[in-house]
Every structure is written in structure tokens, then in C-alpha cells.
């Protein structure tokens, strides 16, 4: 009975994690709650993951990487990437990927991508390379770098903790390196060779400060006395070249017919590129409709800037509308327009027109990871925004980290904490906590900024550890292990290894890398026992495969570049599929070589 309950919960988790309708942290907590309510786990077992030494260390590691970002360690190196443009587009992309992979070997993938994102856009513009050719390799490089060292990604840390719980030796700091290094080198080669051919070029080669071409949504109204009152909509759509996708009047949605007479009590939903939105803003007789406007003198101040800003993973704005967070009052900036991933943008238009979920205004729409806002406001407000973690400023403002003088100290504290934890001088959690507090005490990072970590990662890992325990104590892992051993028996241990890695890759798409690894790991250990071989090659194969899922844009690093790179889902499939297949073949050969089945 317990086996059926646990497998059912795994299926429920897969479905919930596949959709954005329910926050992933809510779904993960529901799984833990159900495991306790059904009696599969005791309350102590269900919540044991949150007190795990590794989970605490992951939290402190994320906080310390905030210190590295705020002191400009990543940006100082990234700003010099444009130098490699003299070697051509491939040379520039290769230099960027090598730099990102090196940082990602010790820093969280997501943090590395977020820190390098504005730098890569600026460097690409200076190098006259389309950002659509650069940002996806950036995300892939951060994921590849996570396979080099134990600290490269939280997936490695949670697998190491799970191995210890299963009675096996935890992962060594450099244990993955002999296989991870070939994975990185081959992965970089595949992306550099195939990327220019398979990646889109949806923007022209720009100069510094060029903007990625993307469609924005905005709302406009006709103010009293507008010269368009009583005239046909065609004067806006055809005469001014505006794309009006819908008209809302008295709670009703009207088709944007050219002959529609404008009365002044309607709300116009407009879609267009940056130049279109700015033309609307500067026209007389039609006004954009931000929820609250700054004073005209402040908006038109000589130092006012227009910037694009992306919503990163872990931002407090995720799931909340601009009106709910009092965006204008809090940040002093006006959100002129919103860009979302194509599929979500289509649904957003229907939502704004009242065709799904009722009529909504732009300021009430909950923001999602990867959304891009077109913002305007005073220079000092933009600089304050760029120094925080709520939004990642993409263009129009050259981000200058405020604490370069603390960069060397931040690096020393970070490396010292890693060395103390990995050498056994201090427990991992104590070493991480000491390093985090030292960064705050020495003003390498503000305390509030240090705690702006992606709490969803911490919650998800703690919850998935509970699911891993349930797989073990209920016998579900043993049951699945028997199935895998039966289907893979004809291929021997290597065939079973490939089957386990394919299973991990498949689960990584709807769930997450960490969750997929924790679900498959108990199965891998049980299969090894059935076959009478060492379980370590299976465990290492699962850990490495979890970091090699490049086919979908659902990994947080890929989500961050989706909007700014103006990508489509098919772009990830086109480049990610050959990359994943090549690395899967490499792992099938290299993993048994490094960790023999019969040591």
C-alpha cells in the first residue's frame, strides 16, 4: 500500500511541477504534508530534510554568492569579455563560456547566470554579436560548469547527502572532476560548433546599448480633450502604425475593428516593440496607463533613463502584481510595458481582454520568472534597482557594482568557508554560516541582500529529501529497482546505467535537477544491489545526468535567458537535443571507467 502511495505522490509531483499554475514550493510542501498525513513517514522523518547539514550549507552558499555578486567579482572579469571579439563570434562565445563554466564550478548555476546576464548582453553589443547567439550558450555553460566540483550545483550536494544517508561514502570535492572536465570540454565544443548554425538571429548586430527586439504589451487610454475622441480606430492602427490587439469598454471586450469609434471610456491593449511603445508615450492625445504615474517633471528629467529589467529566480516580485507591491512608490520607476515568453504572452493578451480568468489590468498581473519590464525613471532610482536583486537590469544602464574594494576579501572568505567545510575542519553547515556572517560583518554584502536567496531551492531540496526517504522506507525504490533491472538486464550494468540516466534526464524536465536525482537515486542503489555490483557508478551517473538536461528551457538558468534572448521553446530543443545525446554517450563510457562496476 505504501508503495502505491509513494509512487502516486511522485506522479502528482511530476504533474504539479510541470505547470506554473501552482508555485513549485507549494507543491513540494504538499508532498511532504501528504507523506506525513498518510503515515508513510513520521513527522520527524518528513521534516528531517530541513535540518540536514547539506541543506543548511546550500542556503549559506547561496547567501555567500550574493556577496561575490555585490562586490563585482563576476562582473570585473565579465566586462573584459569583449576583448575576445577580435577572434570572431565563435572565439567570443568560447571565451564567455569558459569564464562562466569556471565560475559555475564553485558558484550556483542560477546565481552565475544572473550575474553574467547583463554583462554578457553589454559585451555582446560591444562585440557586435547578436545576443540570441550568446545567452543560451551562457546558460548552458553555467549548467556544464556545475559538473566539475562538488560545490558547482546544489544537485551534487544533495546527492552527496543522500549517499551518506544510504550508508555510502559522500562525494569528494573533486570526485566528479575526471568525468566533469571532459563533459565541460565536449559540451563547450558542441555549443561553439553547432550554436552559430542552430541558434536564431532575431536581432541585428547592434552597437553598444542596442536593444533586443521583443514584443511588449501595454495599456493606453484617451485623455479628456484627446483629438482622437469620436474618430475611428484606424487613425491609431493605420495612421500611427500601432498594433491595437483589443479594446475594453464598460467591462466588454470589443474587436479592434478599424471602423470602431473611440469614445474615451475605453482601454486599449497595444502590442509592439520598444520604438512603438515610446512613440505612444510621446504622442499627444493618447497616454500609457501605468497604475500610478510619477510627476511629469520627474519623468522628463534630464537624467531619466529607459531600461529593460528581467525578473530573476527568487525575486520578491514573482507571483505579485505591480500594484500589489506598490512598484512606483517603492522603486520610483514607471513600468511602461511588459514582455513575456511567447506562449505566456498569448495567454496574457487573452487574460487582459477578459477572455480567460476575467478582466485584469496590467498592474494586477502576477509577474513570472523571465518577464521583462520596460522601465523609465530617474538615474539614481535605476542605479538603486541595479544594485539589488529584485530585478536584473538588462540594458540602458551600465551596471556598476558599488563594493569593488571588498572583492578580494569576499573571495577569500568564500574560498575559506569552502576549504574549512570540505577538509573537515568544520562541519559544512558551520563553515558556511561562518563565511556568510563574516561577509555581512565585513560589509562585503548587506544583510538584507544576503538573505535574498532563492528560498524555493532550499524548500524544494528539503521536501525532495523527504520523498527520497519515502522511496526507501516504503519499498518503492526497491520495486522500481526490480523493474529497471529487468528491462536493463540484457544490456548488463552499462545498459542499466544508461537507462537510469535517461530516466533522470526525463524527470529533470518537469521536476527539477535536484528532485529528479533524489527520486532516481534510491532506485539506482537498489538496482546495483540486485545486480551484485558497486552502486557508486550508478549514483555518479544519476548526479551527472541531472546536470545535463538541456532540451527544455525549464531549468532556472535557461528561464533567465529565455526572455532577454527572445528565444522560443524550439531553440532549446534544436541545440539541446544533440548536446544532451552527445553527453549521454560520453557519460556511458566515462562513468564506468572512473567508477568501475566491480572495483
Amino acid at each position: 500500500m505504501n508503495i502505491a502511495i509513494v509512487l502516486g505522490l511522485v506522479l502528482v509531483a511530476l504533474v504539479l511541477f510541470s505547470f506554473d499554475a501552482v508555485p513549485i514550493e507549494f507543491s513540494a510542501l504538499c508532498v511532504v504534508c501528504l507523506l506525513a498525513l498518510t503515515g508513510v513517514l513520521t513527522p520527524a522523518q518528513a521534516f528531517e530534510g530541513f535540518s540536514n547539514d547539506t541543506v543548511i550549507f546550500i542556503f549559506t552558499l547561496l547567501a555567500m554568492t550574493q556577496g561575490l555578486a555585490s562586490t563585482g567579482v563576476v562582473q570585473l572579469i565579465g566586462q573584459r569579455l569583449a576583448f575576445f571579439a577580435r577572434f570572431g563570434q565563435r572565439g567570443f562565445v568560447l571565451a564567455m563560456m569558459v569564464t562562466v563554466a569556471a565560475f559555475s564550478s564553485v558558484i550556483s548555476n542560477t546565481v552565475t547566470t544572473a550575474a553574467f546576464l547583463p554583462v554578457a548582453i553589454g559585451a555582446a553589443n560591444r562585440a557586435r554579436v547578436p545576443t540570441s547567439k550568446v545567452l543560451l550558450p551562457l546558460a548552458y555553460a553555467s549548467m556544464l560548469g556545475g559538473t566539475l566540483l562538488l560545490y558547482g550545483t546544489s544537485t551534487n550536494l544533495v546527492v552527496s547527502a543522500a549517499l551518506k544517508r544510504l550508508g555510502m561514502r559522500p562525494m569528494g570535492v573533486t570526485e566528479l572532476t575526471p568525468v566533469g572536465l571532459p563533459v565541460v570540454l565536449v559540451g563547450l565544443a558542441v555549443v561553439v560548433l553547432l550554436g552559430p548554425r542552430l541558434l536564431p538571429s532575431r536581432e541585428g548586430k547592434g552597437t553598444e546599448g542596442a536593444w533586443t527586439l521583443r514584443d511588449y504589451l501595454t495599456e493606453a487610454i484617451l485623455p479628456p480633450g484627446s483629438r482622437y475622441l469620436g474618430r475611428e480606430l484606424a487613425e491609431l492602427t493605420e495612421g500611427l502604425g500601432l498594433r491595437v490587439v483589443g479594446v475594453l469598454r464598460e467591462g466588454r471586450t470589443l474587436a479592434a475593428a478599424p471602423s470602431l469609434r473611440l469614445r474615451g471610456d475605453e482601454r486599449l491593449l497595444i502590442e509592439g516593440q520598444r520604438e512603438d511603445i515610446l512613440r505612444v508615450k510621446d504622442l499627444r492625445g493618447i497616454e500609457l496607463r501605468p497604475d500610478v504615474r510619477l510627476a511629469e517633471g520627474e519623468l522628463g528629467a534630464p537624467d531619466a533613463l529607459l531600461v529593460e529589467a528581467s525578473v530573476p529566480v527568487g525575486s520578491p516580485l514573482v507571483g505579485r502584481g505591480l500594484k500589489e507591491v506598490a512598484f512606483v512608490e517603492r522603486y520610483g520607476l514607471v513600468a511602461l510595458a511588459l514582455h513575456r515568453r511567447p506562449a505566456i504572452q498569448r495567454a496574457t493578451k487573452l487574460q487582459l481582454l477578459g477572455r480567460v480568468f476575467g478582466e485584469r489590468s496590467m498592474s494586477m498581473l502576477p509577474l513570472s520568472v523571465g518577464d521583462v519590464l520596460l522601465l523609465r525613471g530617474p538615474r539614481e532610482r535605476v542605479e538603486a534597482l541595479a544594485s539589488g536583486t529584485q530585478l536584473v537590469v538588462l540594458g540602458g544602464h551600465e551596471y556598476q557594482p558599488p563594493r569593488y574594494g571588498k572583492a578580494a576579501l569576499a573571495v577569500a572568505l568564500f574560498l575559506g568557508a569552502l576549504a574549512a567545510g570540505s577538509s573537515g575542519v568544520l562541519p559544512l553547515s558551520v563553515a558556511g554560516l561562518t563565511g556568510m556572517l563574516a561577509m555581512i560583518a565585513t560589509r562585503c554584502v548587506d544583510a538584507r541582500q544576503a538573505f535574498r536567496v532563492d528560498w524555493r531551492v532550499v524548500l524544494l531540496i528539503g521536501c525532495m529529501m523527504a520523498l527520497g526517504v519515502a522511496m526507501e522506507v516504503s519499498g518503492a525504490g526497491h520495486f522500481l529497482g526490480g523493474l529497471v533491472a529487468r528491462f536493463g538486464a540484457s544490456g548488463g550494468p552499462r545498459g542499466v546505467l544508461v537507462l537510469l540516466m535517461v530516466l533522470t534526464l526525463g524527470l529533470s524536465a518537469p521536476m527539477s535537477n535536484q528532485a529528479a536525482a533524489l527520486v532516481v537515486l534510491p532506485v539506482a542503489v537498489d538496482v546495483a544491489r540486485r545486480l551484485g555490483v558497486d552502486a557508486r557508478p550508478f549514483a555518479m551517473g544519476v548526479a551527472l545526468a541531472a546536470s545535463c538536461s538541456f532540451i527544455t528551457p525549464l531549468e532556472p538558468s535557461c528561464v533567465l535567458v529565455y526572455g532577454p534572448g527572445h528565444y522560443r521553446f524550439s531553440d532549446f530543443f534544436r541545440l539541446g537535443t544533440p548536446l544532451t545525446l552527445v553527453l549521454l554517450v560520453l557519460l556511458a563510457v566515462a562513468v564506468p571507467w572512473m567508477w568501475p562496476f566491480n572495483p
Side-chain angles (χ1 to χ4, degrees):
M1 182 63 180
N2 283 349
I3 294 178
I5 293 174
V6 172
L7 294 180
L9 288 177
V10 170
L11 181 61
V12 169
L14 280 171
V15 173
L16 291 177
F17 292 167
S18 300
F19 299 98
D20 292 330
V22 181
I24 191 171
E25 60 271 28
F26 176 80
S27 302
L29 287 171
C30 285
V31 171
V32 174
C33 185
L34 290 173
L35 286 173
L37 287 176
T38 55
V40 175
L41 296 180
T42 65
Q45 289 175 318
F47 298 106
E48 182 182 358
F50 296 105
S51 61
N52 185 276
D53 192 63
T54 301
V55 174
I56 296 172
F57 178 70
I58 289 172
F59 157 68
T60 60
L61 187 64
L62 292 173
M64 284 191 291
T65 53
Q66 295 284 356
L68 294 181
S70 68
T71 54
V73 174
V74 178
Q75 291 86 341
L76 280 169
I77 295 179
Q79 287 170 354
R80 291 163 175 78
L81 287 175
F83 166 82
F84 294 95
R86 65 183 64 188
F87 302 110
Q89 179 178 320
R90 281 193 170 95
F92 169 72
V93 171
L94 176 61
M96 180 203 66
M97 292 187 71
V98 169
T99 305
V100 170
F103 272 91
S104 186
S105 66
V106 292
I107 300 176
S108 161
N109 301 352
T110 307
V111 173
T112 302
T113 303
F116 267 96
L117 186 57
V119 176
I121 292 175
N125 289 330
R126 288 191 290 273
R128 299 179 180 272
V129 177
T131 54
S132 60
K133 300 283 189 181
V134 172
L135 297 188
L136 190 53
L138 164 66
Y140 282 175
S142 73
M143 296 168 65
L144 289 167
T147 64
L148 284 171
L149 298 173
L150 171 64
Y151 305 114
T153 173
S154 55
T155 303
N156 297 342
L157 290 168
V158 299
V159 169
S160 180
L163 288 175
K164 185 176 181 180
R165 192 189 68 244
L166 293 170
M168 299 172 61
R169 176 171 51 86
M171 242 186 243
V173 176
T174 60
E175 186 174 359
L176 292 174
T177 306
V179 175
L181 185 58
V183 166
V184 172
L185 295 177
V186 172
L188 294 182
V190 171
V191 174
V192 171
L193 292 175
L194 298 183
R197 296 182 180 182
L198 300 181
L199 288 177
S201 182
R202 299 198 178 103
E203 63 172 90
K205 294 181 180 180
T207 57
E208 183 173 359
W211 295 73
T212 303
L213 298 179
R214 53 172 66 90
D215 286 331
Y216 283 94
L217 286 172
T218 191
E219 296 172 324
I221 58 173
L222 302 182
S226 170
R227 62 190 178 97
Y228 297 107
L229 291 176
R231 299 190 180 184
E232 293 183 348
L233 182 63
E235 293 196 30
L236 288 176
T237 57
E238 300 172 8
L240 298 177
L242 300 179
R243 197 190 327 163
V244 179
V245 297
V247 178
L248 290 95
R249 179 186 292 168
E250 297 178 349
R252 295 186 299 117
T253 300
L254 306 177
S259 59
L260 178 69
R261 294 267 175 193
L262 300 172
R263 300 190 331 201
D265 57 348
E266 57 267 284
R267 179 159 51 99
L268 308 175
L269 182 62
I270 297 175
E271 186 178 40
Q273 295 177 357
R274 177 185 66 108
E275 290 75 16
D276 301 322
I277 304 302
L278 295 181
R279 187 165 67 250
V280 174
K281 186 184 77 65
D282 295 332
L283 287 173
R284 293 185 178 181
I286 181 171
E287 294 182 356
L288 298 184
R289 189 181 176 269
D291 187 60
V292 180
R293 301 190 62 176
L294 293 177
E296 287 297 326
E298 198 170 359
L299 274 174
D303 65 340
L305 293 178
L306 188 72
V307 298
E308 291 176 310
S310 176
V311 180
V313 175
S315 171
L317 301 179
V318 174
R320 307 175 70 188
L322 295 173
K323 185 174 183 180
E324 179 184 353
V325 299
F327 187 85
V328 174
E329 294 86 349
R330 178 176 297 180
Y331 300 100
L333 299 167
V334 168
L336 301 177
L338 170 70
H339 165 81
R340 320 192 92 165
R341 301 199 299 270
I344 300 180
Q345 182 120 326
R346 287 191 291 270
T348 300
K349 284 188 284 187
L350 294 175
Q351 190 172 359
L352 290 172
L353 292 172
R355 293 174 183 167
V356 293
F357 307 123
E359 181 183 332
R360 304 289 291 274
S361 66
M362 190 80 71
S363 61
M364 298 292 291
L365 285 176
L367 296 176
S368 301
V369 173
D371 287 351
V372 180
L373 296 170
L374 185 62
L375 304 175
R376 181 172 173 81
R379 179 179 297 274
E380 63 269 20
R381 294 286 193 169
V382 174
E383 291 174 349
L385 181 70
S387 64
T389 58
Q390 296 90 344
L391 292 168
V392 176
V393 176
L394 303 178
H397 169 72
E398 190 71 19
Y399 172 54
Q400 295 294 332
R403 301 178 182 181
Y404 283 127
K406 301 282 187 179
L409 178 60
V411 171
L413 292 174
F414 182 80
L415 295 179
L418 294 186
S422 59
S423 63
V425 174
L426 292 173
L428 277 176
S429 56
V430 177
L433 188 60
T434 302
M436 181 191 74
L437 294 176
M439 279 194 179
I440 296 173
T442 56
R443 303 180 67 84
C444 291
V445 63
D446 182 79
R448 287 172 296 181
Q449 185 176 354
F451 288 105
R452 289 172 186 160
V453 301
D454 187 2
W455 289 101
R456 298 189 311 167
V457 173
V458 180
L459 279 174
L460 180 63
I461 293 172
C463 293
M464 289 301 100
M465 281 191 166
L467 189 56
V469 173
M471 292 279 290
E472 181 184 356
V473 301
S474 68
H478 183 76
F479 173 74
L480 291 178
L483 293 179
V484 172
R486 189 181 313 153
F487 285 113
S490 58
R494 194 183 299 270
V496 173
L497 172 64
V498 172
L499 190 58
L500 288 169
M501 291 193 295
V502 170
L503 178 61
T504 305
L505 288 170
L507 293 178
S508 294
M511 298 180 76
S512 74
N513 299 350
Q514 303 93 343
L518 288 172
V519 169
V520 178
L521 188 61
V523 179
V525 173
D526 188 80
V527 169
R529 291 170 181 165
R530 287 174 178 270
L531 296 177
V533 298
D534 188 10
R536 200 155 196 85
F538 293 154
M540 297 299 105
V542 168
L544 289 164
S547 296
C548 294
S549 180
F550 303 98
I551 297 177
T552 68
L554 301 179
E555 208 276 343
S557 293
C558 295
V559 170
L560 281 175
V561 303
Y562 196 112
H566 209 219
Y567 293 115
R568 297 170 185 164
F569 195 96
S570 58
D571 298 327
F572 292 81
F573 181 82
R574 193 160 48 243
L575 180 58
T577 299
L579 176 59
T580 301
L581 292 177
V582 168
L583 293 181
L584 185 62
V585 172
L586 174 61
L587 291 176
V589 175
V591 169
W593 168 78
M594 180 61 194
W595 299 279
F597 293 115
N598 296 295

